Amino acid sequence: MFTLIDGKEVSAHVKQQVKQRVEQLRQQGIEPCLAVIIVGDDPASRVYVNNKKKACAATGIKSLEFALPAETTQQELLALIDRLMKDDSVNGILCQLPLPGHIDEKAVIDAIKAEKDVDGFSNENVGKIWLGDYDISPCTPMGVIELLDYYGISVEGKNCVVVGRSNIVGKPMAALLLERNGTVTVCHSRTKELARFTAAADILVAAVGKAKFITADMVKPGAVVIDVGMNRLPDGKLCGDVDFDSVKEKCSYITPVPGGCGPMTIAVLMKNTLAACEKQNDIQ
Ligand code: GUN
């Protein structure tokens, strides 16, 4: 028997806590505000941005959307970010990735300075995460940690295997599991005998970007399986990196896709926006 980890329930709980704090701040005349930038008309990015705006509305955080055409130059985008960096009424800036090919994503990430970097992508925030001294959390990895905490799943001493080494998920996920005293292994596309590693995992985090990549034979009986993948099948349905139907019979806990990690990423973004606002207003 497995337990389904319900990201919708946990994210609702987190957003409720954010909402209460936002209400308190409002009574002090402080209105947390997130600026969301989207460049071009990638359909998946549009869905993510809409969901982020909805979460802002649900938590009482003000959101400003800047929807720029695909032809926007890097200079124009950097000028907007510079303006938002200087605007005291804006606490967080999020530029939805990926960006059109003619824009250098690193230049954009570098332009969003640590104090308003609610994604946790800036050099400073990434460094702080590895030092274990941060107030802005990497959204998706911290969403995973919040799911584990909610279900009372301890990381300490466990074999934690992260499949995927992206800057957004794999690397910061490893940092957070290590901070919780997990024994962490990071696997990737060049890993030899991948199944040997995954089959030893007490906690397996799949962040590869390949539909149904993790199959039951790769999973240890009783493992906790966290699926960060979000892939679209030819029939249009969403599907994770884990072959859910077979793996669920073998594990103790598993996240569904959709409804697992996705809602948590956005809930942590709300927490980060609130934290950035409090810090900018010298509230601890
Ligand atoms: N694209 C996919 N995931 C993310 C994310 O967490 N933040 C941003 N800014 N873009 C993304």
Side-chain angles (χ1 to χ4, degrees):
M1 267 298 285
F2 67 93
T3 300
L4 192 69
I5 296 183
D6 186 345
K8 283 192 201 158
E9 178 185 322
V10 186
S11 69
H13 177 76
V14 172
K15 285 189 286 187
Q16 183 57 31
Q17 288 176 333
V18 172
K19 184 173 183 225
Q20 282 173 6
R21 183 72 187 127
V22 169
E23 275 164 13
Q24 287 172 351
L25 289 176
R26 251 176 219 282
Q27 281 162 17
Q28 299 172 46
I30 296 167
E31 184 181 40
C33 173
L34 173 65
V36 182
I37 305 171
I38 176 168
V39 185
D41 45 19
D42 177 64
S45 290
R46 175 37 72 192
V47 172
Y48 292 137
V49 164
N50 286 350
N51 287 341
K52 289 169 186 179
K53 282 165 54 190
K54 263 191 232 163
C56 283
T59 50
I61 292 174
K62 180 178 173 184
S63 69
L64 301 173
E65 180 182 300
F66 297 87
L68 308 180
E71 315 75 65
T72 302
T73 64
Q74 180 167 320
Q75 200 185 7
E76 286 166 333
L77 178 55
L78 293 178
L80 170 62
I81 292 170
D82 186 50
R83 180 159 69 77
L84 294 171
M85 278 307 305
K86 289 177 179 148
D87 183 341
D88 287 342
S89 71
V90 172
N91 305 112
I93 305 170
L94 179 142
C95 183
Q96 188 66 29
L97 304 178
L99 291 166
H102 64 278
I103 298 178
D104 174 9
E105 282 187 359
K106 184 70 183 122
V108 172
I109 288 169
D110 285 345
I112 303 174
K113 302 295 175 211
E115 65 270 23
K116 296 195 183 184
D117 162 37
V118 283
D119 266 319
F121 292 169
S122 64
N123 291 352
E124 184 177 332
N125 285 331
V126 171
K128 284 181 160 180
I129 288 158
W130 282 98
L131 292 169
D133 171 26
Y134 52 92
D135 19 55
I136 300 293
S137 308
C139 297
T140 301
M142 186 51 90
V144 171
I145 296 290
E146 298 238 0
L147 286 175
L148 297 175
D149 284 350
Y150 190 88
Y151 283 83
I153 301 165
S154 165
V155 172
E156 181 148 331
K158 301 270 176 68
N159 279 341
C160 304
V161 176
V162 181
V163 188
R165 55 171 158 183
S166 69
N167 288 338
I168 296 185
V169 184
K171 289 181 197 169
M173 186 75 253
L176 296 191
L177 291 167
L178 195 55
E179 189 191 4
R180 297 295 181 101
N181 298 317
T183 301
V184 182
T185 305
V186 182
C187 299
H188 47 79
S189 54
R190 310 280 172 91
T191 298
K192 294 197 174 89
E193 297 183 63
L194 176 66
R196 240 172 22 94
F197 294 95
T198 58
D202 302 310
I203 298 177
L204 178 61
V205 181
V208 229
K210 288 186 191 158
K212 302 187 186 186
F213 181 77
I214 302 289
T215 46
D217 55 305
M218 299 168 77
V219 175
K220 178 175 172 177
V224 175
V225 179
I226 306 290
D227 190 350
V228 179
M230 183 71 85
N231 311 290
R232 205 163 281 277
L233 295 172
D235 66 4
K237 280 196 186 141
L238 282 178
C239 155
D241 290 348
V242 175
D243 182 18
F244 183 87
D245 289 332
S246 67
V247 171
K248 75 178 196 299
E249 304 302 339
K250 210 166 171 188
C251 62
S252 57
Y253 291 88
I254 188 166
T255 59
V257 177
C261 295
M264 291 308 297
T265 297
I266 297 182
V268 176
L269 175 67
M270 299 300 108
K271 273 184 114 168
N272 283 346
T273 305
L274 177 59
C277 174
E278 289 183 331
K279 192 146 190 217
Q280 285 158 35
N281 285 282
D282 290 322
I283 301 166
Q284 288 320 310

